[in-house]
Amino acid sequence: MSIGQIAIGRNRGYRKRLSKLGLLGWLAVFVLFIFGVIAIFGSALAPHDPNKIDLAYSYVGPIPGHPLGFDELGRDLFSRLLVGARTSLIGPIVLVISTTLIGTSIAILAAWRRGWTDAGLSAGVDIAVAFPGLLLAILLSTVFGASLWVAIAALTLAYTPSLARLLRSSALRETGMDYVKALKVLGFSDSQIIFKHLLPNLAPFIIAQAIIMFGYATLDLGGLSFLGIGVQPPTADWGTMVAAGASGLLQGYPTQTLAAGSCLVLTALSFAVIGDRLARIWGVE
Amino acid sequence: MSLVEIESFTLDVQVVEASARVIHEVSFKLEAGQSIGIVGESGSGKSLTLRAIAGLSPENSVVGGKISFQGEEVSAMDRERLMQYRSSQVAMIFQDPRSAINPVRKVGDFLTENVVTNLGWSKSDAKTKAIEVLTEVGISNPEKQLKAFPSELSGGMLQRVMIASNLLCQPDLLLADEPTTALDVTTQSSVMALIDQLRLSRGMAMIFVSHNLELATAVCDKILVMYAGRIVELLPAENLREKSRHPYTRALLDARPRLDGRQNRLNAIPGQPASGLEWTQGCTFAARCAFAQDICRSEVPVLRKIQESDVACHRADEIDWDVS
Amino acid sequence: MRRYLWRRIGLGALTIVATTMLVHLALYLAPGDPIGYLLNGQPATPERIAALRAQYNLDEPFFTRYVSWITGVFQGDLGTSAAFNADVSTLIASRFQTTMYLVLISFVFISVFGLTLGILAGLHKGGIDSFSMATATILSSIPAFVGSFILINVFALQLGWFPAIGGGDGSLSSAISHMTLPAIALAFSAGAFVARTTRASIRVESASEHVVTATVRGIPRNKVVSRHIVRNALLPVISLGGLLFVGLIVSTAFVEQAFAINGIGGLLVVAARQQDFALVQAITLILVISFVVVNLAVDVLYWILDPRIRSEVA
């Protein structure tokens, strides 16, 4: 067996033990699966036009065919909730992917090059910590105007340093291992070692981090939409629905706010549970 | 009645889902005022044995056999009795005083905590006594040191504070867990001399755990050699150099650098030290032993008396050690 | 002590300068002509343009502009808000107290609740631990803007224990009754974070050798816990204070919107939505300053509570 095979062999185990997710873990997977299906097929599944306004039905409670009733403008809440899944989940997906790509690249670069690259990263992280993501989002939307994309850019900027810092230390541990030295001696190129050995070995950690981040991302983007500096109305979105339902809630019609809020909480909770379990199973807590 | 009597002490540690025996059938006695040195490599179970005497065992472990203090079984003590036993009858000195003393409390708090909390001394009495014992262990300006924090003292000074704290409650038994290993070479001998002198002047018994044979021989009446969770030899300290019989003990003696210059090369024991966790048939040392025969690999040797020593070796009486 | 403190103050001043410069620089990032951006939809009269050019020193190089802004800040002049057409310092001053009440009450909830949960979970393994950590996970998944409405619905509308909206009339008693629910909503995720950190810290401390020493000296368990485990384990938790504080002030935006409270966080969001640069810049400055001040306070507290730092510096 060559050294390459030994190194690759190290990351084989982590797919097998997924069965240890537990009842709660699988329940969370199920919830996310349902939400995923809704996000993809939401507009086809929606029984009514989510944007059709009929003031005659303002705040009317559940009636046959309209299981959640209507919002202040008489729009069908259930349809809006289904259609809103897509905007509420697509933002976090883009955010998680961009953060993971940038964060992983920076971390590996820092761990591989060390020296100045590494020192620069650490300094950047220290400054970034003083800036909460929300503040960054507020600053950027002041300058560029409020939109979902500005919110995603701001949160990417806010999330990346801490992810890079976390990954950097694992990457450093990995690059310090003998197999990396052995592969270098054997004449493998840097990119071969990074893509064929280093990244696969870091994968469990990166995936667990990305899943945990997904939960935060859903809540943070939902929050920005709630504040009016994320998804812009009238697009159906869980965050904007929480805000839109506020006046109804005060008048005794809490359905819109609580239903949209529950979807956000359930999504975040599911990601938290799965991320937690995976981190424990893979031993990358 | 002996001060400490240990009979068939075993310790099983829960590892993941299986249980593993790390200490096998350890038995010995210690009389009042006597000192015994437990010697072995890391993982031999010497510290675990020592801590068990104070009623401490690691989490997820099961203790078997009997450990008694003045005829009273330690594991049978209720909470209150155990606390009383620990606060006034045994005392313990740890390897690294820097981690064994709470870094955020003053030296004075550390010294007097036990006597004030458990023995009901008044704070002023405790302070007066604390100054006395600090002086006794050779700390100058004790009043000032009481107000200092551990981080302001050197390692040697801190170990003296540790020793002083144990003098306040006048214990019958001192448990010393490698008390000089973490110190500078220059302070090691003075701290060891201090322990020895205070122990003798107060008639305390001592169990001294060390990997340093020379040191153990110097301050102990008996030497107990442990390997992989078992006692392999127990003998009077003065016999160690010339009359020890177990190949492991001999190897340990041989692995020491000698000061008389008769030997140029430092002999290391071949192979890796085994821990009690490793399961083997027969004698655990057989894999590293130059004298191992078939019987050594199939049957566990038991301790048997040969002259003044207890030795657990099938071939102890056959091998003729040439001690010149 | 003095040298340590001066170094920390210097570092804090540097943070303030660096971050405000970055914020100032952000004006250049705005798409298009800065005047068009700063006009913010107002009619482009020559007087208005001239006033803006003077206010932001647009004809000067960056550094001069920054210096003149900072000098203005020191003289209490934070500029004029385009959205509210009012003096920025007046806008902020009237809301500052409200937000401070909110954050401080929330801090009490976070400490009491986070520490209790964390200490319990850290000291007990098994059921209590799992229960506490499950609670923490659930709470950290309830964002302030959802938690607010759950609380309003249950405790204000259905049970009627607290007023549903508003910030009170400024007196302490009305502040407490109006701020309790928003403060709890704000405390959910931060409290869960404190609970997790405390638990980890307690675990580390429980396993330390000085705890074995105390046990082997016969110190009763409750005293070992209070004097040696909890006392030591709280030190790293305290250092979170500075980080939490700024996050809390910014997050008041959520609860202030939900509970219709007139505070800094809400003002910041309105300013962002209206692209009111002067107002956002001023509030950011205040946030960074409070971050630095709170961190300084934490450093001093650390100096008092952890003797290791003192001998390290000496």
Side-chain angles (χ1 to χ4, degrees):
Chain A
M1 184 157 60
S2 76
I3 288 173
Q5 280 170 306
I6 298 172
I8 292 166
R10 292 184 62 243
N11 59 56
R12 277 290 147 80
Y14 69 86
R15 278 184 211 102
K16 290 181 199 155
R17 288 182 288 170
L18 284 185
S19 56
K20 285 192 179 169
L21 224 44
L23 184 65
L24 203 61
W26 282 113
L27 198 68
V29 171
F30 179 71
V31 167
L32 290 182
F33 174 74
I34 297 289
F35 279 165
V37 169
I38 294 174
I40 296 168
F41 303 108
S43 34
L45 293 172
H48 305 278
D49 177 0
N51 293 319
K52 187 180 156 250
I53 294 171
D54 187 348
L55 290 175
Y57 285 100
S58 173
Y59 291 134
V60 169
I63 55 170
H66 300 267
L68 291 177
F70 301 85
D71 71 0
E72 75 281 12
L73 298 175
R75 294 176 291 194
D76 179 51
L77 274 180
F78 186 64
S79 304
R80 287 187 69 75
L81 214 55
L82 291 186
V83 173
R86 184 177 297 179
T87 36
S88 306
L89 294 176
I90 212 152
I93 289 176
V94 176
L95 173 53
V96 168
I97 291 177
S98 60
T99 306
T100 306
L101 283 181
I102 302 172
T104 309
S105 317
I106 295 178
I108 288 188
L109 197 72
W112 201 258
R113 289 265 185 86
R114 314 212 178 172
W116 281 107
T117 324
D118 200 15
L121 168 74
S122 308
V125 168
D126 286 340
I127 295 174
V129 169
F131 263 85
L134 177 57
L135 185 57
L136 215 56
I138 285 171
L139 274 175
L140 287 193
S141 48
T142 309
V143 175
F144 295 104
S147 82
L148 177 61
W149 302 109
V150 170
I152 290 175
L155 290 182
T156 305
L157 215 57
Y159 286 1
T160 303
S162 45
L163 178 74
R165 172 149 69 178
L166 270 175
L167 283 178
R168 173 193 162 266
S169 51
S170 334
L172 264 182
R173 211 175 308 131
E174 203 74 22
T175 49
M177 290 224 216
D178 285 342
Y179 81 88
V180 173
K181 290 179 203 152
L183 289 168
K184 274 187 184 173
V185 171
L186 286 174
F188 285 91
S189 73
D190 284 4
S191 63
Q192 268 178 313
I193 302 176
I194 288 174
F195 286 105
K196 286 201 175 148
H197 302 281
L198 193 57
L199 273 178
N201 284 339
L202 286 174
F205 188 74
I206 298 174
I207 294 170
Q209 283 303 321
I211 287 173
I212 292 171
M213 194 200 309
F214 211 120
Y216 294 125
T218 314
L219 296 186
D220 284 352
L221 281 174
L224 292 177
S225 301
F226 167 81
L227 293 176
I229 49 176
V231 175
Q232 298 297 310
T235 311
D237 168 85
W238 294 341
T240 53
M241 283 176 77
V242 172
S247 56
L249 182 127
L250 290 174
Q251 296 165 48
Y253 307 105
T255 318
Q256 174 166 207
T257 292
L258 295 188
S262 308
C263 289
L264 284 169
V265 171
L266 220 54
T267 310
L269 196 58
S270 304
F271 277 114
V273 168
I274 297 171
D276 202 50
R277 298 277 156 111
L278 283 185
R280 211 177 304 161
I281 291 171
W282 291 336
V284 290
E285 276 171 279
Chain B
M1 180 177 61
S2 307
L3 182 69
V4 178
E5 219 173 314
I6 300 183
E7 271 179 62
S8 311
F9 164 57
T10 57
L11 192 72
D12 298 86
V13 179
Q14 199 76 24
V15 190
V16 198
E17 271 147 28
S19 170
R21 178 150 293 188
V22 290
I23 295 188
H24 307 256
E25 304 280 325
V26 164
S27 309
F28 64 91
K29 282 181 192 173
L30 177 70
E31 307 301 328
Q34 208 186 29
S35 66
I36 196 164
I38 306 184
V39 179
E41 290 163 294
S42 3
S44 61
K46 51 193 197 305
S47 277
L48 286 174
T49 309
L50 190 78
R51 288 178 186 220
I53 296 169
L56 288 174
S57 54
E59 248 178 276
N60 306 322
S61 67
V62 180
V63 176
K66 225 163 100 178
I67 297 178
S68 352
F69 182 86
Q70 293 178 340
E72 187 183 2
E73 209 176 319
V74 175
S75 63
M77 291 178 181
D78 63 14
R79 254 170 79 122
E80 209 130 305
R81 172 71 189 110
L82 186 65
M83 263 167 356
Q84 190 201 353
Y85 163 66
R86 284 169 172 172
S87 64
S88 56
Q89 295 180 291
V90 286
M92 193 153 169
I93 302 177
F94 293 83
Q95 180 172 353
D96 180 10
R98 185 99 34 226
S99 60
I101 296 178
N102 189 343
V104 306
R105 303 188 73 89
K106 288 180 182 158
V107 166
D109 292 343
F110 173 76
L111 273 170
T112 58
E113 183 180 22
N114 177 25
V115 288
V116 171
T117 312
N118 294 324
L119 308 181
W121 293 18
S122 75
K123 283 201 171 149
S124 58
D125 277 1
K127 196 184 159 196
T128 322
K129 280 295 237 178
I131 292 173
E132 268 175 42
V133 287
L134 279 184
T135 318
E136 205 175 337
V137 298
I139 288 183
S140 54
N141 207 348
E143 265 139 288
K144 191 182 144 227
Q145 304 298 359
L146 284 182
K147 294 194 197 84
F149 282 99
S151 46
E152 297 164 42
L153 272 63
S154 70
M157 293 263 272
L158 268 189
Q159 195 62 297
R160 285 164 194 269
V161 168
M162 182 64 122
I163 295 165
S165 77
N166 287 333
L167 295 179
L168 275 182
C169 60
Q170 303 273 14
D172 305 300
L173 173 64
L174 189 61
L175 303 172
D177 191 356
E178 309 223 18
T180 60
T181 313
L183 304 181
D184 286 341
V185 186
T186 44
T187 48
Q188 277 184 3
S189 52
S190 60
V191 166
M192 201 58 238
L194 179 71
I195 294 176
D196 193 41
Q197 170 225 323
L198 291 170
R199 180 185 85 76
L200 290 173
S201 66
R202 285 166 195 246
M204 279 187 277
M206 173 168 77
I207 300 182
F208 176 74
V209 161
S210 178
H211 58 260
N212 187 335
L213 268 178
E214 194 86 59
L215 201 60
T217 330
V219 297
C220 295
D221 306 319
K222 276 190 191 169
I223 299 291
L224 191 157
V225 183
M226 282 186 81
Y227 184 78
R230 287 193 167 86
I231 297 181
V232 295
E233 187 158 15
L234 174 62
L235 75 173
E238 65 269 21
N239 287 1
L240 183 77
R241 192 179 269 275
E242 265 131 48
K243 293 184 190 155
S244 56
R245 293 184 167 272
H246 198 282
Y248 178 62
T249 315
R250 303 300 320 184
L252 273 185
L253 282 166
D254 223 26
R256 265 173 330 119
R258 293 168 69 147
L259 294 174
D260 51 19
R262 272 195 298 196
Q263 192 179 320
N264 300 324
R265 206 166 55 86
L266 193 58
N267 288 325
I269 307 176
Q272 290 294 313
S275 80
L277 271 177
E278 281 161 56
W279 185 85
T280 46
Q281 253 182 336
C283 175
T284 17
F285 188 60
R288 299 170 76 190
C289 181
F291 306 96
Q293 287 183 336
D294 289 345
I295 182 166
C296 302
R297 295 184 195 96
S298 58
E299 248 174 76
V300 180
V302 287
L303 276 180
R304 57 195 169 120
K305 196 128 192 117
I306 300 175
Q307 292 169 352
E308 285 172 85
S309 309
D310 292 289
V311 191
C313 174
H314 293 299
R315 307 195 61 205
D317 40 7
E318 299 167 40
I319 308 166
D320 185 20
W321 297 100
D322 168 35
V323 184
S324 48
Chain C
M1 172 86 192
R2 202 170 285 163
R3 253 187 64 197
Y4 171 81
L5 208 59
W6 277 119
R7 263 190 53 193
R8 292 284 146 165
I9 290 174
L11 219 65
L14 209 69
T15 313
I16 294 174
V17 172
T19 43
T20 48
M21 251 187 201
L22 274 177
V23 173
H24 217 78
L25 211 60
L27 193 54
Y28 282 99
L29 292 174
D33 171 35
I35 280 290
Y37 169 75
L38 289 169
L39 272 174
N40 205 356
Q42 296 170 26
T45 59
E47 298 85 57
R48 184 74 205 141
I49 291 176
L52 280 174
R53 281 201 175 279
Q55 186 187 338
Y56 290 93
N57 290 302
L58 287 182
D59 302 321
E60 308 285 341
F62 170 74
F63 196 69
T64 322
R65 270 167 41 188
Y66 179 74
V67 169
S68 83
W69 176 74
I70 266 277
T71 333
V73 168
F74 274 113
Q75 291 161 351
D77 173 22
L78 289 166
T80 310
S81 153
F84 290 85
N85 200 12
D87 191 36
V88 167
S89 33
T90 324
L91 282 173
I92 292 175
S94 65
R95 289 166 172 86
F96 195 71
Q97 193 192 6
T98 313
T99 298
M100 280 303 124
Y101 272 143
L102 185 54
V103 168
L104 288 178
I105 298 175
S106 189
F107 230 79
V108 173
F109 281 115
I110 291 169
S111 319
V112 171
F113 167 81
L115 294 180
T116 312
L117 218 56
I119 291 173
L120 278 178
L123 292 176
H124 305 272
K125 294 187 176 165
I128 297 178
D129 182 28
S130 323
F131 174 77
S132 307
M133 285 305 103
T135 312
T137 306
I138 292 172
L139 286 181
S140 65
S141 300
I142 302 179
F145 65 96
V146 175
S148 294
F149 291 111
I150 298 175
L151 294 176
I152 291 178
N153 195 38
V154 176
F155 294 101
L157 298 179
Q158 291 179 13
L159 297 172
W161 292 356
F162 297 95
I165 52 168
D169 55 16
S171 72
L172 187 65
S173 61
S174 98
I176 289 176
S177 80
H178 278 88
M179 299 290 178
T180 303
L181 292 184
I184 293 177
L186 200 54
F188 277 178
S189 58
F193 180 56
V194 169
R196 275 204 210 101
T197 318
T198 309
R199 171 180 177 269
S201 185
I202 291 266
R203 284 284 156 90
V204 169
E205 211 56 53
S206 302
S208 69
E209 184 125 289
H210 70 81
V211 170
V212 178
T213 311
T215 310
V216 91
R217 294 169 97 202
I219 307 296
R221 175 71 185 167
N222 59 349
K223 295 220 162 91
V224 174
V225 167
S226 64
R227 284 183 198 161
H228 299 286
I229 298 179
V230 174
R231 163 77 166 77
N232 293 37
L234 288 186
L235 283 172
V237 180
I238 290 172
S239 64
L240 289 178
L243 204 68
L244 274 179
F245 196 76
V246 179
L248 276 185
I249 299 183
V250 184
S251 301
T252 55
F254 296 117
V255 295
E256 285 176 3
Q257 181 172 329
F259 287 88
I261 295 169
N262 241 335
I264 298 279
L267 185 67
L268 185 60
V269 171
V270 174
R273 280 202 297 244
Q274 312 264 347
Q275 299 196 274
D276 186 341
F277 194 76
L279 193 48
V280 171
Q281 191 177 23
I283 297 178
T284 310
L285 174 71
I286 288 172
L287 288 177
V288 175
I289 291 176
S290 49
F291 174 74
V292 168
V293 169
V294 171
N295 265 335
L296 210 60
V298 168
D299 284 338
V300 172
L301 203 63
Y302 236 84
W303 177 276
I304 294 167
L305 292 177
D306 194 343
R308 281 167 293 189
I309 301 211
R310 267 171 275 170
S311 34
E312 224 170 80
V313 177

